[in-house]
Amino acid sequence: MESLVEFAIDSARSMGAEYAEARLQTDLRESIIMKNGVLEASAFEEYRGLGVRVLVNGSLGFASINILRKRNVEGALRRAFRMARLASKLMRREILMGKGDLGNDKVEVKPRVKFADVDLDSRVSLLKEADEQAIAAASARDVRVPARMTSLDTWITEKFIATSDGANIRSVIPRVALFAFITVFHPQKGPVQRYFNLGETGGWEVAERWNLPKLFYEETYALSNILLEAVKPPEGKMDVVLGPEVVGIVSHESCGHPSEADRILGREAAQAGETFLKKDSIGLRVGSPQVNVADDPTLKGSFGFYIYDEEGVKARRRILIKEGVVNEFLHNRETASVFGVESNGASRSVAYNREPIVRMANTFFMPGDYSKEELLEDVRDGIYIKNFMEWNIDDRRFNQRYVGLEAYKIENGELKNLVRNPVLEITTVRLWSAVDAAGKDLEFQAAYCGKGDPMQGIPVWTGGPHIRLRGVKINGA
Amino acid sequence: MAHKIKLEEIPLSVVDLGRREGATDVSAALTESRRIMIRFSNNEITVSKLFLDVTLDIFVMVEKHRAATSISTISQRSIERAVKNVVKIAKATPPADVYAPLPQGPFSYDRNLLKAPKIPLDPGTLTAYVESAIKGALEKGAERAAGTLNAHRARMHLATSGDVYASQEISGLEISVRAFMSEFATGHAVSIASRPEDFNPEEAGMRAGEIAKAASNPKPGEPGKYMALLGPLVFADFVNQVGSLSSAFLVDAGQSFLIDKIGLEVASKKFTLIDDPSLVGTLGARAFDDEGVPTRRKSIIEEGVLKTYLHNSLTAKKFGVETTGNAGIIVPHPWNLIVEPGSKSVDDLTSEVDDGIYVTNDWYLRYQNYRTGDFSTIPRDGMFQIKRGEILASIKELRISDNMLRILQNIIDLSIYRTWVRWWEVEIPTLTPYALISELNFTKSRM
């Protein structure tokens, strides 16, 4: 089967492509879905196919196919080649593949406990126990938990990537992912909801380490407390401490996305949009000196883990904001050539039938020196927002809103009562500029970042420490 | 199973094998699809894509024990392995709370719905569509245009243990165009069609260009509650929320503000929402659902009253009703959403607004609470003040932060004019008018 990769590249070159890249990708996924304690279904998927990109007269063509016969692959390639050549007549600027540290390597993450060694009973029992603990937690606070929805996925992605200019990468990456959606309800108080994702690279040992029953108990107990105890938040200008979950989404939305070089060039303009950053924004101050944000695909065990990107370029940590100043953008080889830099390995694709595009991997606010207690002790009158439910940001990545879920009043450096749905609606520069201190802790959350057309929901981590914002406006929802 | 596989015969052989392996119920759907996508930005093509996919989806039940599989490796060996494996997994799966046998056919289907119009897939024609969309936007004054052209043809072959064996064609042409006067002044429009004669990329480009031009030099808007005129792209997004969250599965999962509201007034009397897959020649037309049940037109909300959730046979059994022909084997979903028109022109709707806001598009809709319907979304592209019945200044930086049920209740009127919408943010094809909403809450980021 792997010979098809070489065949595709040779065929594309013989047709006259300046550049060709082929990726044979297999995704094997097993899922179970539990709703309100009942297993709705178990499922497994096996998607295997070939995705090929060709550069013809400076115009890019992509073809994907899952009938893996030479005749069919060649036919698809011919069509992609013709389409690209025709489109080249409308091009004013030739697309070029810029420089990058191309690899010739094999990357394999070996699970300690193989998925094949974990039977369905064990998986179902784990979710069932977690579900029972959610009910127990709600019961302990005398509320109902009428809706629980959980899915648990294990999947293995195998890739063989080669390019006409010498990259040759084989990889095998196993992942575990959990999605949970919990509703607690009280007849006088109404419903409160939360969903969360867990995701890591590794084998079944990851799911065991998560201790789902304990986590579901804690999450549901906290949600019940919010339902019963949270009161209207204070409004107005105040100091705010954000927990790692909120800091993670802020880093992703307000630093990671604006730093994607393809957005800067307008390539996503009609879908995910553009960015307030411009090609010449390197060196622009967007926050206080305490703000340092990185994106790093090489974090071991991370949900967005990879060592080589889909163009065969070796990945590395990217410092996107350094001491409050825009430091680096996320590049693939196409954008790197326009910016006159080397690709930093940000080209990703979620399946064989998706075009590789510029993506984040694991985006996080880099830790500072403070303990959580130190961050809090200097706040006389403020709010601590631990996590969130609703959020969004405009398509220039400048105007955003986060609505806290578990949030507390801070008085004289101490956490007090729960407050309900405090709203932080703020611009990117105002938010980053308000940061006066960052914690030394660091936590990550799993997420699926959406971008591209067709949409590609790609595994990422978002993360950071606790951080403190001075004098920002808080509203009630 | 035959040695030489004919694609259209695979589902039947899967059903046979699944039954022999011990499944009480089997459905198998094989889809062959061919899709071409041309993406463009800054007035030039950024990439041309071809997708050739053959996928096989199998669902089996051993009474209350269920399992599903999807594979893209279509060979005799891989199919046999998948069928044996999925039945084995179903047997090992704990029982669900209800068992509903797959609906018993054979059924008769509307022959007109089984066939899809022929659409062009040649690169020359498709590239010309893109050129005409860009030209339309630039002619109306835009400086640049970006977007996506999609052309697809697919054929789905379905067989079930309920004596269903049928084939359905699907095809469509879609273009989504965003025009830019500047990074702050943009307009968006779409054209979607099942028939080539209904497809008008140039007009979509022109409409996007007109909005972008009118949106020039926007000033920051003031937050507050306003009477709002929602253009088709925004209202289609809201209607998609209502249609999608009327799925019985999501209601049961706590992910819907429509829970416990059957028979109740959930919207203004002006609002009637229909799911109609039986409209021949439309993008969401389907002859049968994923269980082989003939699809039909149904009111989800009729003159403000919630009439039904969307069901497959399993959710129907659980809720004690009949399937609505909206399977989704696991999650029922709408096919083709239709909002009944109002009685006024768009100009008449606008003239009713003394101090309000016209929103042409939105994105990034997220809920604080699905069950209550509290959410926010961000207007994008042209947004305008309306004063004394006239659309005036271009404004920016506002967010719609409200509640979905309140918005439905606050529909004052709808336009006679309707248009089909589907794009990146609106998944289900939706025929929608403009909507006039009272007291819509707008918030704003603080500098």
Side-chain angles (χ1 to χ4, degrees):
Chain A
M1 201 70 83
E2 287 194 350
S3 63
L4 274 180
V5 169
E6 304 293 352
F7 171 77
I9 288 172
D10 291 345
S11 302
R13 291 307 299 259
S14 68
M15 288 173 201
E18 297 106 79
Y19 168 84
E21 157 204 304
R23 173 169 40 99
L24 181 69
Q25 179 166 340
T26 305
D27 285 279
L28 296 167
R29 183 188 295 258
E30 292 176 84
S31 312
I32 53 174
I33 303 167
M34 184 170 283
K35 188 175 70 182
N36 302 332
V38 174
L39 194 72
E40 284 291 323
S42 41
F44 69 94
E45 293 173 351
E46 180 177 346
Y47 287 117
R48 173 180 296 136
L50 186 73
V52 186
R53 290 200 306 169
V54 291
L55 202 52
V56 183
N57 301 340
S59 168
L60 198 56
F62 172 82
S64 69
I65 185 164
N66 66 358
I67 299 293
L68 297 177
R69 288 191 293 255
K70 282 186 177 176
R71 184 163 47 90
N72 299 65
V73 170
E74 192 174 7
L77 260 176
R78 280 198 189 287
R79 284 189 66 100
F81 187 89
R82 268 209 315 274
M83 290 191 326
R85 191 171 55 193
L86 196 64
S88 71
K89 292 172 188 162
L90 289 182
M91 306 281 292
R92 287 170 301 159
R93 174 187 62 84
E94 265 189 29
I95 292 171
L96 299 169
M97 288 294 149
K99 288 181 183 163
D101 182 7
L102 299 181
N104 197 323
D105 205 349
K106 180 167 184 183
V107 178
E108 183 169 5
V109 174
K110 292 207 166 127
R112 200 157 51 72
V113 182
K114 290 180 182 168
F115 300 140
D117 293 342
V118 184
D119 61 17
L120 187 60
D121 268 354
S122 307
R123 298 175 190 229
V124 173
S125 299
L126 182 62
L127 286 199
K128 188 77 184 156
E129 201 188 330
D131 190 69
E132 285 164 1
Q133 286 302 305
I135 294 169
S139 176
R141 295 276 9 225
D142 212 15
V143 302
R144 287 173 53 214
V145 54
R148 291 99 56 204
M149 174 86 181
T150 315
S151 64
L152 179 63
D153 291 11
T154 58
W155 86 96
I156 300 171
T157 303
E158 290 182 27
K159 293 179 192 174
F160 174 38
I161 299 164
T163 68
S164 56
D165 49 6
N168 196 300
I169 304 295
R170 288 172 173 79
S171 66
V172 183
I173 309 285
R175 285 191 176 89
V176 186
L178 175 119
F179 168 80
F181 188 102
I182 301 170
T183 304
V184 294
F185 182 81
H186 186 278
Q188 274 78 52
K189 301 275 189 178
V192 171
Q193 301 186 313
R194 166 154 167 83
Y195 70 82
F196 56 90
N197 287 290
L198 303 176
E200 289 184 33
T201 293
W204 183 252
E205 68 278 5
V206 169
E208 287 172 343
R209 180 165 39 76
W210 283 340
N211 196 349
L212 294 178
K214 181 166 176 277
L215 179 69
F216 274 59
Y217 188 95
E218 291 169 353
E219 287 284 356
T220 311
Y221 196 86
L223 209 52
S224 305
N225 288 342
I226 297 165
L227 177 68
L228 295 174
E229 297 171 8
V231 297
K232 196 173 183 303
E235 299 196 3
K237 225 175 199 188
M238 66 190 76
D239 296 344
V240 174
V241 174
L242 301 178
E245 182 175 314
V246 187
V247 174
I249 190 76
V250 172
S251 301
H252 179 94
E253 301 289 7
S254 304
C255 175
H257 275 306
S259 303
E260 292 163 343
D262 58 343
R263 295 178 78 114
I264 297 170
L265 295 176
R267 199 182 193 268
E268 296 291 321
Q271 294 87 11
E274 298 187 333
T275 157
F276 71 98
L277 296 177
K278 304 286 171 263
K279 203 178 158 190
D280 59 1
S281 293
I282 298 291
L284 179 72
R285 177 162 291 285
V286 293
S288 73
Q290 283 69 38
V291 178
N292 293 283
V293 183
D295 185 82
D296 190 348
T298 67
L299 292 180
K300 210 172 166 190
S302 63
F303 204 34
F305 175 82
Y306 61 93
I307 296 294
Y308 293 93
D309 75 359
E310 314 297 21
E311 296 175 334
V313 173
K314 190 158 192 191
R316 63 168 172 82
R317 175 174 287 203
R318 288 79 61 134
I319 308 294
L320 304 176
I321 298 179
K322 188 175 180 182
E323 296 175 354
V325 172
V326 177
N327 183 66
E328 185 175 13
F329 298 136
L330 294 169
H331 284 291
N332 62 9
R333 293 182 65 185
E334 178 186 348
T335 62
S337 81
V338 179
F339 283 68
V341 296
E342 277 203 14
S343 167
N344 49 23
S347 176
R348 299 183 72 189
S349 162
V350 78
Y352 75 87
N353 56 4
R354 292 293 180 269
E355 174 202 13
I357 54 174
V358 175
R359 304 304 298 261
M360 282 172 267
N362 306 299
T363 313
F364 61 102
F365 193 110
M366 297 168 80
D369 301 326
Y370 287 70
S371 68
K372 184 181 165 191
E373 290 69 31
E374 286 170 332
L375 291 174
L376 291 171
E377 73 185 10
D378 206 16
V379 177
R380 201 163 61 85
D381 206 14
I383 282 189
Y384 167 48
I385 304 177
K386 184 180 176 187
N387 55 37
F388 67 99
M389 184 71 182
E390 173 192 331
W391 89 102
N392 49 36
I393 186 163
D394 71 358
D395 67 309
R396 293 179 63 252
R397 301 282 157 179
F398 200 70
N399 162 2
Q400 64 224 272
R401 170 180 166 109
Y402 306 98
V403 183
L405 181 60
E406 185 176 352
Y408 301 83
K409 181 95 174 60
I410 308 171
E411 279 173 19
N412 298 319
E414 289 188 5
L415 290 185
K416 297 292 183 183
N417 57 288
L418 282 156
V419 294
R420 183 169 284 212
N421 300 346
V423 179
L424 178 62
E425 201 162 352
I426 192 167
T427 64
T428 294
V429 171
R430 178 73 187 89
L431 191 158
W432 289 135
S433 300
V435 177
D436 87 322
K440 54 191 171 193
D441 53 332
L442 177 61
E443 288 177 31
F444 292 98
Q445 300 79 42
Y448 295 91
C449 172
K451 185 181 170 186
D453 196 355
M455 174 59 85
Q456 303 193 47
I458 209 153
V460 295
W461 262 1
T462 66
H466 285 81
I467 64 170
R468 186 172 61 209
L469 312 180
R470 292 293 194 190
V472 294
K473 179 93 191 301
I474 290 288
N475 291 315
Chain B
M1 200 172 287
H3 188 66
K4 175 84 175 166
I5 303 180
K6 281 189 180 169
L7 290 179
E8 62 271 26
E9 292 173 0
I10 288 174
L12 273 178
S13 59
V14 167
V15 171
D16 284 348
L17 180 58
R19 294 297 299 270
R20 285 204 304 276
E21 291 293 315
T24 50
D25 302 83
V26 185
S27 79
L30 184 130
T31 307
E32 307 166 65
S33 73
R34 172 177 289 239
R35 176 185 295 271
I36 291 177
M37 174 182 278
I38 301 178
R39 292 189 55 181
F40 53 101
S41 69
N42 300 317
N43 306 333
E44 59 185 353
I45 290 173
T46 49
V47 63
S48 310
K49 307 187 200 183
L50 168 70
F51 306 92
L52 300 171
D53 287 306
V54 182
T55 53
L56 177 62
D57 299 308
I58 306 169
F59 173 70
V60 302
M61 290 191 281
V62 183
E63 295 186 330
K64 282 187 174 180
H65 307 261
R66 302 172 198 155
T69 187
S70 298
I71 60 169
S72 70
T73 313
I74 309 299
S75 69
Q76 183 175 329
R77 204 174 56 175
S78 65
I79 292 168
E80 282 183 6
R81 195 181 60 210
V83 174
K84 287 178 179 175
N85 200 12
V86 73
V87 175
K88 192 172 128 198
I89 287 175
K91 286 176 178 171
T93 298
D97 47 352
V98 291
Y99 168 58
L102 283 171
Q104 183 59 49
F107 300 104
S108 61
Y109 304 117
D110 182 341
R111 298 178 72 84
N112 295 315
L113 288 170
L114 294 173
K115 297 276 177 201
K118 291 275 175 281
I119 55 128
L121 286 179
D122 65 285
T125 304
L126 300 181
T127 305
Y129 285 150
V130 170
E131 284 183 274
S132 70
I134 295 172
K135 181 168 153 269
L138 301 187
E139 268 180 13
K140 290 294 177 181
E143 290 189 351
R144 56 191 173 100
T148 301
L149 173 93
N150 244 307
H152 71 276
R153 277 189 218 154
R155 182 189 291 269
M156 196 257 273
H157 311 284
L158 177 72
T160 78
S161 49
D163 292 331
V164 167
Y165 179 51
S167 294
Q168 160 94 63
E169 287 179 356
I170 299 160
S171 68
L173 284 165
E174 302 170 52
I175 196 159
S176 167
V177 192
R178 193 175 191 201
F180 288 74
M181 279 295 290
S182 72
E183 65 175 304
F184 298 101
T186 60
H188 203 129
V190 302
S191 175
I192 69 168
S194 181
R195 292 183 284 242
E197 59 270 30
D198 298 332
F199 186 58
N200 201 330
E202 185 170 5
E203 191 193 322
M206 290 166 76
R207 271 188 285 127
E210 280 170 356
I211 297 169
K213 190 167 183 197
S216 297
N217 305 314
K219 303 285 182 294
E222 280 303 310
K225 289 194 172 176
Y226 291 93
M227 187 180 285
L229 180 66
L230 303 183
L233 292 181
V234 191
F235 201 53
D237 191 18
F238 291 9
V239 165
N240 257 245
Q241 294 295 318
V242 180
S244 298
L245 298 187
S246 65
S247 165
F249 183 93
L250 297 178
V251 170
D252 201 28
Q255 292 178 30
S256 174
F257 46 81
L258 297 173
I259 187 167
D260 298 333
K261 292 201 162 44
I262 293 286
L264 300 182
E265 269 192 28
V266 295
S268 146
K269 284 192 188 320
K270 305 269 184 180
F271 185 66
T272 292
L273 175 62
I274 293 159
D275 175 46
D276 191 357
S278 69
L279 271 182
V280 174
T282 60
L283 214 57
R286 294 289 183 283
F288 52 84
D289 72 3
D290 290 0
E291 295 178 329
V293 173
T295 59
R296 61 179 171 83
R297 178 185 168 95
K298 73 212 66 88
S299 292
I300 299 171
I301 294 174
E302 196 171 298
E303 296 183 353
V305 176
L306 181 64
K307 299 306 250 186
T308 186
Y309 300 132
L310 301 179
H311 288 286
N312 58 24
S313 60
L314 280 169
T315 63
K317 176 89 179 269
K318 197 164 181 180
F319 281 66
V321 296
E322 295 292 312
T323 176
T324 55
N326 287 89
I329 290 284
I330 304 292
V331 184
H333 55 78
W335 300 105
N336 217 21
L337 291 168
I338 315 280
V339 180
E340 289 286 62
S343 55
K344 293 180 178 158
S345 69
V346 177
D347 285 346
D348 285 347
L349 289 182
T350 311
S351 70
E352 288 185 24
V353 182
D354 186 49
D355 179 15
I357 293 176
Y358 167 39
V359 186
T360 64
N361 196 12
D362 76 304
W363 90 311
Y364 224 134
L365 193 156
R366 292 291 183 277
Y367 288 90
Q368 178 69 9
N369 192 318
Y370 286 81
R371 196 163 151 154
T372 61
D374 293 334
F375 79 102
S376 67
T377 184
I378 308 195
R380 75 183 222 183
D381 306 309
M383 177 164 58
F384 305 91
Q385 265 184 339
I386 307 176
K387 293 275 187 193
R388 290 173 292 284
E390 278 192 55
I391 294 173
L392 297 174
S394 167
I395 55 174
K396 62 178 181 178
E397 296 173 4
L398 294 179
R399 172 181 278 104
I400 296 171
S401 305
D402 213 308
N403 174 282
M404 201 56 83
L405 287 167
R406 193 160 52 230
I407 290 172
L408 293 176
Q409 296 278 4
N410 286 352
I411 294 171
I412 300 168
D413 216 333
L414 303 164
S415 65
I416 301 166
Y417 170 84
R418 292 183 298 171
T419 188
W420 282 100
V421 172
R422 181 160 83 172
W423 74 288
W424 203 66
E425 281 287 289
V426 176
E427 192 180 350
I428 311 295
T430 303
L431 179 61
T432 180
Y434 286 70
L436 190 62
I437 313 285
S438 66
E439 297 277 298
L440 190 64
N441 190 45
F442 289 84
T443 58
K444 181 178 180 176
S445 292
R446 301 292 164 177
M447 295 300 284

